[in-house]
Amino acid sequence: MDAASRQDADTATPEFTLRSVLVGLAIGCLLCFTNLYFGLQTGWISMMSLQSALIGYLIGKTFTHPSFTPQENVVIQTTAVATGTLPLAAGFVGIIPALSLLSQETDGVDALKLSWLQGVEWSLAVAFFGVFLAVPLRKQVIIKEKLAFPSGTATAQLISVLHQTPLPQPDGLTRRRGYEALQSDDVAHEETRVVVEEDVPQDVEGEVVKKEGWADLLYSFGASAALTVAAYFFPVLFAIPLFGTHLAREWLWSFSPSLSYVGQGVIMGFPIALSMNVGMLVGWGILSPLAKLSGWSPGPVGDMATGARGWILWVALAVMVSDSLVSLVPVAWELVRDYTGHGKREGHEDDEEEPPERLVPLKWVAWGIGASILLGTLLVWVVFGSDGIKSWATVIGFVLGCLLSVLGVRALGETDLNPVSGLGKVSQLLFAVIQPRNVVANIVAGGVAEAGAMQAGDLMQDLKTGHLLRASPRAQFYGQLVGSAVSIVVTTVAYSLYTRVYEIPGKEFPAPTSFVWLNLARLLRDGSLPPHTGQFMLAFGLVAATLAGAKAHARATGASWARWIPSGVAFAIGFLNTPSFSISRLIGGVVELLYRRHLAKTHTPPGREIRLIIIASGFVLGEGVASIVGLVFRTCGVGAASCWGCGTGICAGCG
């Protein structure tokens, strides 16, 4: 079949089908609970687009006839991503917990704990804005500029392999054997890039996944789920005092053999896991004892207000902001050059290959953005009132989200980095001037801007996947709308269940990013810092900015050593979370490194690379699903079977 005939066949095949949407929603709901669980626990979530495509393919091969087409699989993973990432986009892992920490004494306002209905209203206010923003940006960054969007390209490559469909080679795409971990350098996203050599028969890898994929996924899922349920009844399993009882009790140095953490380490890759552990050693091995023993943080080490954990959080904030802002500079500069004509690319006036009936009409986009802003502003006013944030300030937040989304999408397309943490902090800095001394307005406006930038960037990865596989942009748009709509209810219900059973933020679910949002808002309101944090913030911020500049330069020149420059945000995550979080991920990163090197040395037949990703995905999903079982147990009053080993206050489950 020639290229023209193949394209005609692709456009004639139904893509937005009931079965593809239902499977996408099922996978997305699973991801939604999983991402909320890990987001509240560690501040980490994943798009899971590659994993969604894998699971969709396996379901199609096993339960449907005929099997899903490649374009249906694109709709599946697009719908799943839109459903699964709303816990971050709507701020349920950071902004909403931060508002619950407010106090009249410190912030001039009482704590805001949203009801279920208020959670739905807030989610509805921000759920669709980024979906409409992504549509006009698609033509610029994917069609005209042909940006790489590595994770979206990786997913397209995987789908093409699984369905044994040759992938076109536009946009300077290079295909080679093996897989390479790429990190989005944000507290929220880790993705794995899969690349396949052009001369490797695609049916070989497809057969490997067909024959062994379900077994790999189910065994790893079952092992992770079983260990998680066992740890619910015997909490010490996830808080082993590997370094001694004293260090575990007084300094929070314990070890959690969580298979999901190991799986996340595999997915994020060794360089990022290493950056995270370097941060962990500096934060918890040097700065935490220094702050405690010097009397700068006299409270218990784990206390976010008076302890060393709260003290080192300020240093982490400086690292995250410096790294994110410096990383945005080359993207902003390139954007200015493009729009002033100095960097304009030639020969891409209009390369759109899709017929109008497969595109999203710009009239829909204009009405959608306008309606999103009006409805969002109204709902934010309903939830927070004019004392919380002025309506005109909310409108500015949405407009700022439009501008920041351009930077976020360009950064993601060129580097696979969506620096939404930095973009959110930019909006917080601006709102310190627009609505000064108002902590609620500062956090909410930052959340509005971040939601648009994050959604537009993440969904652009999916649109890149669809572009390479000739999937209908309109079908993907429908999938994004449906996924976001369903996730409004799923995310809010899940968060309400967790808050009924657990204290959030609390010992089991510390929601570390909520303190990042809140501390910056308080700093901008009061201008006061804990003792001696200013000097350390300045020093670490300068180092982070220097390394971020070096990384940006190395990437721009194509230097292979760029990925070994420490990630500033990953380094900061090592500060935000206790050592057990980072150590387990380092194990996964080492496994990924050794596995890849072993395959390279032994010339293992193609198709085996993808198995490690499937196993890692099963580990992550297993604990996420098993957490729902724990939630049910806790709701029914079923507690730990034994607190053996927890008498020293090490374990959250018995604490």
Side-chain angles (χ1 to χ4, degrees), residues 28 39 49 55 88 178 221 253 312 390 422 463 480 484 583 620 648:
S49 54
I55 297 172
L88 178 70
F221 181 97
W253 276 81
I312 63 175
K390 303 295 183 184
L463 291 173
Q480 291 166 352
S484 297
I583 295 171
V620 174
T648 55

Side-chain angles (χ1 to χ4, degrees), residues 62 131 133 162 170 188 198 210 259 296 308 310 411 456 467 471 642:
T62 307
V131 177
L133 281 180
L162 297 178
E198 197 166 27
K210 261 196 296 188
L259 291 178
W296 305 336
H467 172 67
S642 171

Side-chain angles (χ1 to χ4, degrees), residues 27-47:
I27 297 172
C29 290
L30 176 64
L31 298 181
C32 188
F33 269 91
T34 300
N35 278 333
L36 183 63
Y37 171 77
F38 288 115
L40 290 173
Q41 196 176 68
T42 64
W44 181 95
I45 79 163
S46 172
M47 278 180 61

Side-chain angles (χ1 to χ4, degrees), residues 371-574:
S372 296
I373 293 176
L374 290 176
L375 179 63
T377 301
L378 174 62
L379 290 174
V380 168
W381 175 78
V382 169
V383 174
F384 299 104
S386 57
D387 291 337
I389 180 171
K390 303 295 183 184
S391 294
W392 56 265
T394 304
V395 173
I396 293 176
F398 277 110
V399 174
L400 186 60
C402 290
L403 300 176
L404 294 179
S405 68
V406 176
L407 292 177
V409 166
R410 289 290 298 272
L412 194 64
E414 293 180 357
T415 68
D416 214 40
L417 315 178
N418 192 352
V420 292
S421 60
L423 296 176
K425 304 306 173 285
V426 170
S427 65
Q428 284 190 275
L429 293 172
L430 291 177
F431 268 83
V433 177
I434 294 173
Q435 206 169 341
R437 297 188 60 78
N438 188 325
V439 176
V440 174
N442 191 276
I443 294 174
V444 171
V448 168
E450 184 189 58
M454 181 210 150
Q455 273 191 311
D458 286 351
L459 299 181
M460 198 65 66
Q461 295 274 26
D462 298 331
L463 291 173
K464 178 69 173 185
T465 302
H467 172 67
L468 292 175
L469 291 166
R470 301 190 183 94
S472 165
R474 188 179 295 193
Q476 289 188 268
F477 175 72
Y478 292 152
Q480 291 166 352
L481 289 178
V482 172
S484 297
V486 171
S487 191
I488 290 172
V489 177
V490 175
T491 301
T492 308
V493 168
Y495 184 76
S496 297
L497 291 174
Y498 275 109
T499 54
R500 287 182 184 180
V501 176
Y502 300 99
E503 179 186 359
I504 296 178
K507 192 170 184 180
E508 289 176 276
F509 294 96
T513 54
S514 64
F515 292 93
V516 176
W517 282 94
L518 182 60
N519 281 11
L520 181 56
R522 285 174 171 171
L523 174 62
L524 296 173
R525 179 182 187 267
D526 302 324
S528 59
L529 290 167
H532 298 282
T533 53
Q535 302 94 311
F536 285 89
M537 290 176 69
L538 178 61
F540 277 81
L542 289 174
V543 172
T546 302
L547 291 176
K551 183 184 282 278
H553 174 73
R555 282 199 175 110
T557 57
S560 60
W561 45 267
R563 68 194 300 257
W564 293 103
I565 297 178
S567 161
V569 174
F571 180 87
I573 294 174

